């Protein structure tokens, strides 16, 4: 009898431990408010947001970094190191990472929990902090090369929701996402933080940032746009 009771206790502890692992995984994959609904089988309705800030973070020298690796395990270790640094920086700010694909991470601030107009400064501060952080990282490859990142940022309306049933994903839709991608693709240099007009204007109004306006930038599918480069923080206080 004692043996049966002991086994039941052991099995219960094991099940509880596995359940907690799954709960933690769900909370990592989705924003907290969305994860709570999914865990309670609550329908997650799509939402529209008037303003949010979307950012594509891309490793500029990704192919060269992979070519410097000599083994498959070294490739995995190096890629893990890059994205662990990126994830750690994302967690310092009010934002959610939607996905990582090859050399790119996509993040958003202001979704699904709105934060006033802070989304644009949260993303700006993340970009500056991550760019500086990665400039100090030297990957453990035969050539010990550094990591350079470039960013594409856009502020505007988005629609967010869960897509899929077997492997549901939390995704963003709308022109804001497309323009953020275009900002990254036409970002000058390998270390630029390229902003669409709305994001640049909002940061200028906030104060506390050094911005460089770029006039007449050719953007695929959009024609000429007046964009901004985020250079650094200034000595002014950011509100």
């Amino acid at each position: 009898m004692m043996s049966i009771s002991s086994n039941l206790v052991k099995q219960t502890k094991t099940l509880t431990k596995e359940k907690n692992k799954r709960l933690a995984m769900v909370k990592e994959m989705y924003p907290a408010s969305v994860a709570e609904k999914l865990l309670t089988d609550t329908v997650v309705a799509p939402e529209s947001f008037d303003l949010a800030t979307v950012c594509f973070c891309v490793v500029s020298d990704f192919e060269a970094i992979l070519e410097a690796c000599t083994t498959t395990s070294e490739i995995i270790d190096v890629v893990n190191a890059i994205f662990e640094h990126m994830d750690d920086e994302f967690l310092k700010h009010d934002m959610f990472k939607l996905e990582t694909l090859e050399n790119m991470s996509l993040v958003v601030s202001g979704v699904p929990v709105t934060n006033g107009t802070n989304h644009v400064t949260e993303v700006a501060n993340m970009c500056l902090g991550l760019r500086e952080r990665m400039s100090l990282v030297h990957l453990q490859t035969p050539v010990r090369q550094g990591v350079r990142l470039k960013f594409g940022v856009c502020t505007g309306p988005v629609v967010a929701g869960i897509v899929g049933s077997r492997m549901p994903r939390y995704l963003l839709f709308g022109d804001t996402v497309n323009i953020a991608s275009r900002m990254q693709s036409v970002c000058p240099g390998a270390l630029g933080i390229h902003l669409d007009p709305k994001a640049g204007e909002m940061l200028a109004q906030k104060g506390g940032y050094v911005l460089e306006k770029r006039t007449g930038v050719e953007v695929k599918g959009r024609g000429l746009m007046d964009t901004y480069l985020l250079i650094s923080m200034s000595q002014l206080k950011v509100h």
Side-chain angles (χ1 to χ4, degrees):
M1 189 70 177
M2 181 65 70
S3 178
I4 294 174
S5 176
S6 177
N7 284 336
L8 286 173
V9 169
K10 186 176 181 179
Q11 289 176 12
T12 300
K13 287 182 178 179
T14 300
L15 289 171
T16 300
K17 185 177 180 180
E18 290 302 316
K19 182 180 179 181
N20 289 336
K21 282 184 180 179
R22 289 195 294 271
L23 291 177
M25 186 177 297
V26 169
K27 290 179 179 179
E28 287 291 328
M29 293 173 60
Y30 306 98
S33 59
V34 174
E36 290 173 6
K37 292 178 181 178
L38 289 173
L39 291 170
T40 56
D41 293 325
T42 303
V43 175
V44 182
E47 295 180 273
S48 297
F49 299 85
D50 293 334
L51 275 183
T53 298
V54 177
C55 177
F56 282 86
C57 310
V58 174
V59 181
S60 301
D61 305 316
F62 196 65
E63 289 185 8
I65 289 170
L66 297 187
E67 288 174 359
C69 298
T70 57
T71 65
T72 53
S73 60
E74 192 173 67
I75 290 174
I76 298 301
D77 289 343
V78 164
V79 172
N80 275 335
I82 292 172
F83 286 107
E84 281 176 7
H85 279 289
M86 293 174 72
D87 288 346
D88 187 55
E89 193 67 33
F90 297 154
L91 289 171
K92 294 179 181 180
H93 304 276
D94 181 13
M95 59 182 54
F96 177 72
K97 183 181 77 171
L98 290 145
E99 63 179 329
T100 292
L101 181 63
E102 293 186 354
N103 66 330
M104 176 276 295
S105 281
L106 171 61
V107 297
V108 62
S109 181
V111 174
V113 179
T114 57
N115 53 9
T117 59
N118 290 339
H119 47 84
V120 69
T121 52
E122 290 291 332
V123 169
N125 294 343
M126 178 278 293
C127 291
L128 291 169
L130 184 55
R131 184 175 67 181
E132 180 179 4
R133 176 182 185 141
M134 297 307 286
S135 70
L136 302 175
V137 172
H138 291 282
L139 300 174
Q140 299 301 313
T141 66
V143 294
R144 289 184 58 81
Q145 59 199 107
V147 181
R148 297 187 298 175
L149 300 176
K150 60 180 179 179
F151 305 84
V153 179
C154 182
T155 297
V158 296
V159 173
I162 292 290
V163 175
S165 55
R166 296 196 177 208
M167 297 182 66
R169 296 173 62 196
Y170 188 71
L171 299 178
L172 289 187
F173 301 91
D175 215 32
T176 299
V177 181
N178 297 330
I179 294 174
S181 178
R182 301 284 168 79
M183 290 297 100
Q184 181 279 131
S185 65
V186 296
C187 182
L191 288 166
I193 303 172
H194 197 198
L195 315 175
D196 86 305
K198 183 67 174 179
E201 290 163 6
M202 287 184 68
L203 281 182
Q205 291 172 0
K206 290 270 188 180
Y209 298 93
V210 177
L211 297 161
E212 177 186 309
K213 189 170 184 177
R214 306 178 72 230
T215 304
V217 177
E218 182 70 38
V219 180
K220 184 178 179 181
R222 295 293 184 275
L224 299 179
M225 294 178 65
D226 292 344
T227 63
Y228 292 82
L229 284 176
L230 173 57
I231 307 301
S232 65
M233 297 282 287
S234 72
Q235 299 302 311
L236 300 176
K237 182 179 179 181
V238 180
H239 300 289

